[in-house]
Amino acid sequence: MNSLSTAHLDTVSDTPTRPAHALPAWVYNHPELTRLEIERILKPSWQIVCHVNSIPKPGDYETLDLGPESVLVLRDRDGSIRGYHNVCRHRGARLLDGSGNCPATITCPYHGWSYRHDGSLIGVPMRDSFPGLDRAAHGLRPVRVDTALGFVFVCLAGDPTPVAKTWGRLAEELAAYRLDEMVPLGPISTDVWNVDWKIAMDNYLESYHVPIGHPGLYRMFTPDYDDTATVPGVARGVSWMREQPSSRWSERLYQKLIGRAATHLPEAERRCWRFYSALPNLGIDVFPDQMDFFQLLPAGPGKCMVRGTTFGLPGTSRELRAVRFLTNRINTQVNNEDKWLCARVQRGLASSSYTPGPLSRLERYMLEFHDLLRARIPEFRLASAPTQFAAALSRD
Ligand code: FES
Ligand SMILES: [Fe+2]
């Protein structure tokens, strides 16, 4: 993956073959490309399934669907977190949905094959009707699991860098927030946007749209246009609450209460909103009173599922409850604005008149994302959709 450093920009402006322009419109609405993106971009990356405290007790599980794949993570009796393909080894039925608890075994709803928490096949109804069945060879297929920043990640292909290593010092700067001690403030929710997942990711990789697109947020916080303290693969935006009281009551109340609600943080951090966007499809927002994650999952060409929820430290005060209410109020508004803006891009890209426009220096993190797309799927370089896609990966 290329660095997010500004040196990378110079290369872009000096090299006529790599102009700093947006991607061609066709890449945001193409079924074969969506399939390739799942195979080459999303499966070989770390995907959040849930928080470590979403599954605190033995047998607790959470599932994640990614294109045709489905994964479950589960808390084993020894406290470890295990991950499996959510697919029965008999005739392939999906085993679990959503989240819940399997106290003893994971049992298939079709013919009742059952699996221990460690994935081994323990029960086969009508066992005698399967002469020679090797139970040991029919355990659940494991998937790689990583825990970092309080989250449980899985990876379905390849060998990506461990999450904590990629985040590096960005994880260190989050230590005071105690992300791994947080608990879910609600179940994981999903929302379908009429937007290709890459349009949504492009949106979260730049703050250039904040003053115009998010007037409420801009009234309260300084936008961070030009943060250079990023690491390769993770863009960071840090916004500071303005001293001047907002003209809106809810925003003014937030400004007044936040200092008293987040006493676990150093004084300065109580006025700070942190936005992290990790390639290829993850956002983690860290506020003084809570944090959230959101994940952009393809739901067909031109559509995506935004999956996520919020988390906070256990225990609560009146101030904290009020501040969380206000944070959610502001974020709901920002989220609706982003959804609306991104849908307008999706619709605009369908016009035959559109040709890729120039990108600002402030949109440079998008370029790193687009470089990743071009490296893994060379067809991203083409001005129009090919009639046939190359079968193999070519080198960048
Ligand atoms: S498909 Fe699971 S038991 Fe038959
Ligand atoms: Fe936005």
Side-chain angles (χ1 to χ4, degrees):
M1 195 179 285
N2 290 312
S3 163
L4 284 160
S5 74
T6 48
H8 162 66
L9 266 188
D10 300 338
T11 321
V12 171
S13 50
D14 291 348
T15 311
T17 53
R18 297 189 62 211
H21 276 71
L23 290 171
W26 73 270
V27 304
Y28 292 103
N29 197 347
H30 195 288
E32 174 62 7
L33 199 55
T34 304
R35 194 188 68 74
L36 288 173
E37 286 161 359
I38 292 169
E39 285 303 311
R40 298 185 191 171
I41 311 278
L42 297 171
K43 280 169 66 174
S45 66
W46 291 108
Q47 297 292 324
I48 286 181
V49 182
C50 60
H51 192 274
V52 290
N53 294 327
S54 306
I55 47 171
K57 298 188 302 296
D60 284 348
Y61 68 84
E62 181 81 47
T63 61
L64 167 72
D65 293 347
L66 175 60
E69 308 292 344
S70 182
V71 180
L72 70 94
V73 296
L74 174 131
R75 178 80 63 175
D76 200 348
R77 272 196 191 77
D78 64 1
S80 60
I81 294 174
R82 299 177 180 274
Y84 305 105
H85 285 278
N86 187 13
V87 178
C88 182
R89 294 298 308 278
H90 176 217
R91 279 178 33 215
R94 178 75 52 98
L95 292 166
L96 300 172
D97 300 307
S99 59
N101 183 273
C102 290
T105 57
I106 303 163
T107 302
C108 178
Y110 201 174
H111 312 92
W113 282 32
S114 56
Y115 305 86
R116 283 200 190 97
H117 291 169
D118 67 5
S120 56
L121 176 62
I122 168 98
V124 177
M126 321 282 180
R127 174 77 175 76
D128 295 347
S129 68
F130 293 91
L133 173 69
D134 179 4
R135 269 209 329 236
H138 291 85
L140 294 179
R141 294 218 186 272
V143 297
R144 285 177 62 197
V145 174
D146 191 9
T147 56
L149 308 164
F151 288 106
V152 182
F153 293 80
V154 292
C155 162
L156 293 176
D159 189 21
T161 309
V163 180
K165 195 162 175 216
T166 297
W167 281 66
R169 62 188 156 70
L170 297 186
E172 285 160 31
E173 77 185 13
L174 290 171
Y177 291 85
R178 296 165 26 209
L179 301 185
D180 53 351
E181 293 174 38
M182 290 186 175
V183 294
L185 299 178
I188 291 176
S189 66
T190 53
D191 186 25
V192 175
W193 289 19
N194 289 320
V195 167
D196 187 89
W197 70 279
K198 302 185 297 300
I199 289 181
M201 195 60 192
D202 286 348
N203 173 68
Y204 291 115
L205 286 168
E206 53 95 353
S207 309
Y208 176 43
H209 71 279
V210 169
I212 308 297
H214 303 302
L217 190 65
Y218 185 60
R219 256 195 319 272
M220 281 188 75
F221 290 93
T222 58
D224 181 12
Y225 286 129
D226 214 3
D227 190 348
T228 50
T230 55
V231 299
V234 188
R236 186 189 77 158
V238 178
S239 291
W240 297 93
M241 197 167 76
R242 296 182 195 279
E243 297 289 343
Q244 193 188 355
S246 165
S247 55
R248 308 289 166 99
W249 73 267
S250 59
E251 295 165 6
R252 232 174 20 250
L253 188 59
Y254 181 90
Q255 288 171 312
K256 199 173 123 201
L257 290 180
I258 188 61
R260 281 188 268 151
T263 46
H264 61 291
L265 292 176
E267 196 91 24
E269 304 294 310
R270 298 179 202 172
R271 306 183 64 80
C272 172
W273 278 23
R274 298 173 172 278
F275 306 95
Y276 300 84
S277 300
L279 299 186
N281 67 330
L282 171 65
I284 295 179
D285 304 319
V286 181
F287 312 106
D289 52 298
Q290 65 186 54
M291 66 112 166
D292 63 54
F293 85 93
F294 61 88
Q295 199 173 20
L296 308 167
L297 300 167
K303 272 193 194 311
C304 70
M305 179 106 85
V306 182
R307 175 182 186 268
T309 193
T310 54
F311 304 86
L313 288 173
T316 181
S317 64
R318 236 182 56 197
E319 280 90 357
L320 190 56
R321 278 200 304 275
V323 162
R324 282 182 181 161
F325 171 81
L326 294 166
T327 300
N328 289 337
R329 198 168 187 273
I330 295 162
N331 283 335
T332 301
Q333 174 70 21
V334 171
N335 188 52
N336 288 342
E337 288 161 351
D338 279 327
K339 185 176 181 177
W340 182 79
L341 290 165
C342 288
R344 292 179 80 83
V345 172
Q346 186 77 48
R347 296 203 336 253
L349 293 181
S351 165
S352 59
S353 72
Y354 177 76
T355 52
L359 295 182
S360 158
R361 194 171 53 79
L362 304 174
E363 292 165 307
R364 66 177 180 274
Y365 302 130
M366 277 172 63
L367 275 181
E368 181 182 2
F369 178 41
H370 296 175
D371 282 345
L372 173 70
L373 299 169
R374 283 186 279 258
R376 301 268 177 93
I377 306 175
E379 283 83 356
F380 267 95
R381 298 160 200 271
L382 303 175
S384 55
T387 46
Q388 213 178 352
F389 284 75
L393 268 177
S394 75
R395 281 173 210 276
D396 190 22

